Amino acid sequence: MNHLFDSVYYVGAADRTKTLFENLFPLNDGMRYNSYLIDDEKTALLDTADEAVEKEFLFNVKAALGKKDLDYLIVHHAEPDHSSLVCKILDLYPNAVLVTSVMALKFLNQFSGKDLSLRTKTVKEGDSLSLGKKTLKFIAAPMVHWPEVLLSFEESSGILFSADAFGSFGAAEGTLKISEVENPENWTYQARRYYTNIVGKFGTNVTALLKKAAALNIKKICPLHGLIFDENCSFPVEKYKIWSSYSPEGKGVLIVYGSMYSHTKFAAEYLAARLGEKNIPSKIVDVSYTDISYIISDCFYYPTFVFAAPTYYGGVFPKMERLLTAVKKINFSDRKIAFMENGTWAPAAAKTMKDILSEISADTSFPNVTIRSACNEETLKAIESLADAIANS
Ligand code: FEO
């Protein structure tokens, strides 16, 4: 339990052993489930936590409440990483009223197999809940990233309780506040992969939420995962503006290759070297050894992509096909994409890759590079020409 500010306490907990979030996304540094307790004339617990951290979470709630009873349990988001301990809290605090959206109540009932409606006060966008000195005003945030999501804003302190928005992967270090971490840019790395893979498809909804947020005097942001912004709230908001618009965040070229016998890898490395000579930064990623979530995150950063892969079964290397199937679901804008293919007898990878990405908004007019088994003088010249074309684009 941490005393964060004024009457707001942190009662969440970190799972430092979790290796796959949602059984999908690899974690290098565990995961943190944030929950907050407001100790005002009325007490309110804002969301619960994942059942993996039940013991620590319950300890924190009890410590923050002291001898007080719990008046409200507010559920902003019904996904089980935040709501799996709702019934536990309602059992422990029989006087507590559950405060949530109509749709979240439905989801909580479905997950728990219980009817929690008799204990519930439903709220919607624009509704307020007074706790005494503090009042929470609810804001709807549909599809950020589930349909039932609410955020709440406490006007007297300027705290935005932002649900999954502005959250990040990682258990975080000892400190919870961005003002106390040594390198705040680490947040960007963890938050970009979290945002782009979990919320990335719903950019329009995020943009709508950011418009609502622009009308608020936000001084602090308390998300349901990762670090808390106790200052410099414009930093994550500006990142979200870029990510939700699908515009590239940085400069340079992302080169993703698949390679069975290292010849396509050689082409990727050769291209990166030629780009480097032109002072164009690049990042090389091997699609066979990198989880797709990291590559999707990189795609949000770089303005230019080069996909290089062997031909396989008259199409493209399966791991590249899987990646591109994920890439095409994101509505990227302002991108340029080039293709390098390898084919010993019937190269078809470039056409296949281009076809998969045909619906995304990108300039794919670079000439394809075709490798016949291994790079030769002619292929190297084609790669040099591609580097020139990228430099001039
Ligand atoms: Fe962290 Fe959408 O739950």
Side-chain angles (χ1 to χ4, degrees), residues 21-22 33 77 79 81-82 145-146 164 194 198 224-225:
F21 184 66
E22 294 184 355
Y33 306 98
H77 178 24
E79 194 164 7
D81 55 332
H82 309 292
H145 64 114
W146 274 25
D164 275 332
Y194 175 85
I198 292 174
L224 285 177
H225 297 289

Side-chain angles (χ1 to χ4, degrees), residues 287 292 309 312-313 315-328 352-353 356:
V287 75
I292 282 177
Y312 203 99
Y313 282 151
V316 66
F317 189 59
K319 291 203 171 187
M320 182 61 81
E321 184 171 17
R322 190 166 156 252
L323 168 69
L324 298 183
T325 303
V327 169
K328 80 170 184 183
T352 307
M353 290 190 281
I356 294 171

Side-chain angles (χ1 to χ4, degrees), residues 1-4 8-13 32 35 37 56-66 176:
M1 189 267 284
N2 301 43
H3 184 194
L4 286 179
V8 181
Y9 293 81
Y10 181 87
V11 293
R32 182 170 281 279
S35 169
L37 190 129
E56 199 171 331
F57 166 72
L58 292 178
F59 174 91
N60 288 342
V61 172
K62 285 174 193 164
L65 279 172
L176 297 169

Side-chain angles (χ1 to χ4, degrees), residues 232-269:
N232 199 13
C233 293
S234 60
F235 171 60
V237 169
E238 289 306 313
K239 290 292 183 192
Y240 263 51
K241 278 186 192 165
I242 296 169
W243 297 336
S244 63
S245 72
Y246 302 105
S247 299
E249 181 186 348
K251 291 186 167 48
V253 180
L254 174 66
I255 304 171
V256 185
Y257 73 85
S259 190
M260 295 159 70
Y261 300 107
S262 81
H263 300 293
T264 312
K265 172 186 184 287
F266 182 90
E269 302 280 359

Side-chain angles (χ1 to χ4, degrees), residues 36 45 89 162 164 182 215 218 261 286 393:
Y36 306 92
L45 177 62
I89 289 290
S162 64
D164 275 332
E182 208 163 306
I218 299 171
Y261 300 107
D286 186 328
S393 67

Side-chain angles (χ1 to χ4, degrees), residues 89-106:
I89 289 290
L90 293 176
D91 286 347
L92 279 171
Y93 300 98
N95 299 318
V97 174
L98 176 63
V99 179
T100 195
S101 65
V102 170
M103 197 183 288
L105 173 62
K106 181 171 179 252

Side-chain angles (χ1 to χ4, degrees), residues 49-305:
D50 191 273
E51 59 191 1
V53 296
E54 174 178 340
K55 204 169 161 188
E56 199 171 331
F57 166 72
L58 292 178
F59 174 91
N60 288 342
V61 172
K62 285 174 193 164
L65 279 172
K67 291 186 177 153
K68 288 192 174 177
D69 196 7
L70 182 67
D71 295 306
Y72 297 113
L73 167 58
I74 299 169
V75 171
H76 292 96
H77 178 24
E79 194 164 7
D81 55 332
H82 309 292
S83 70
S84 63
L85 299 172
V86 161
C87 290
K88 190 91 190 181
I89 289 290
L90 293 176
D91 286 347
L92 279 171
Y93 300 98
N95 299 318
V97 174
L98 176 63
V99 179
T100 195
S101 65
V102 170
M103 197 183 288
L105 173 62
K106 181 171 179 252
F107 294 174
L108 292 171
N109 285 344
Q110 286 172 190
F111 276 115
S112 69
K114 295 180 180 176
D115 181 0
L116 302 174
S117 53
L118 291 178
R119 301 239 355 222
T120 303
K121 171 187 169 65
T122 57
V123 287
K124 59 184 183 314
E125 165 125 334
D127 287 349
S128 294
L129 180 71
S130 172
L131 303 175
K133 293 190 184 93
K134 292 197 178 337
T135 298
L136 293 169
K137 189 163 186 185
F138 293 97
I139 301 160
M143 300 317 295
V144 183
H145 64 114
W146 274 25
E148 87 297 1
V149 172
L150 289 172
L151 277 57
S152 62
F153 183 65
E154 204 293 300
E155 200 151 16
S156 70
S157 54
I159 302 175
L160 179 68
F161 294 98
S162 64
D164 275 332
F166 308 112
S168 56
F169 287 133
E173 296 164 16
T175 184
L176 297 169
K177 296 178 183 170
I178 195 83
S179 63
E180 295 168 0
V181 301
E182 208 163 306
N183 184 3
E185 266 301 317
N186 287 345
W187 175 87
T188 309
Y189 175 74
Q190 293 278 26
R192 185 191 300 114
R193 189 165 70 94
Y194 175 85
Y195 172 88
T196 55
N197 284 280
I198 292 174
V199 193
K201 194 171 163 39
F202 308 112
T204 310
N205 304 79
V206 176
T207 302
L209 174 61
L210 291 173
K211 276 189 188 153
K212 292 183 194 176
L216 307 172
N217 184 16
I218 299 171
K219 294 177 185 157
K220 297 175 175 66
I221 298 176
C222 292
L224 285 177
H225 297 289
L227 290 172
I228 293 157
F229 280 83
D230 57 327
E231 63 176 25
N232 199 13
C233 293
S234 60
F235 171 60
V237 169
E238 289 306 313
K239 290 292 183 192
Y240 263 51
K241 278 186 192 165
I242 296 169
W243 297 336
S244 63
S245 72
Y246 302 105
S247 299
E249 181 186 348
K251 291 186 167 48
V253 180
L254 174 66
I255 304 171
V256 185
Y257 73 85
S259 190
M260 295 159 70
Y261 300 107
S262 81
H263 300 293
T264 312
K265 172 186 184 287
F266 182 90
E269 302 280 359
Y270 191 79
L271 175 64
R274 302 293 76 75
L275 290 169
E277 286 166 355
K278 299 171 192 302
N279 295 317
I280 299 172
S282 64
K283 177 174 182 176
I284 299 181
V285 180
D286 186 328
V287 75
S288 295
Y289 295 94
T290 310
D291 185 80
I292 282 177
S293 65
Y294 291 92
I295 306 175
I296 292 290
S297 181
D298 286 335
C299 286
F300 274 76
Y301 183 87
Y302 287 95
T304 303
F305 313 150

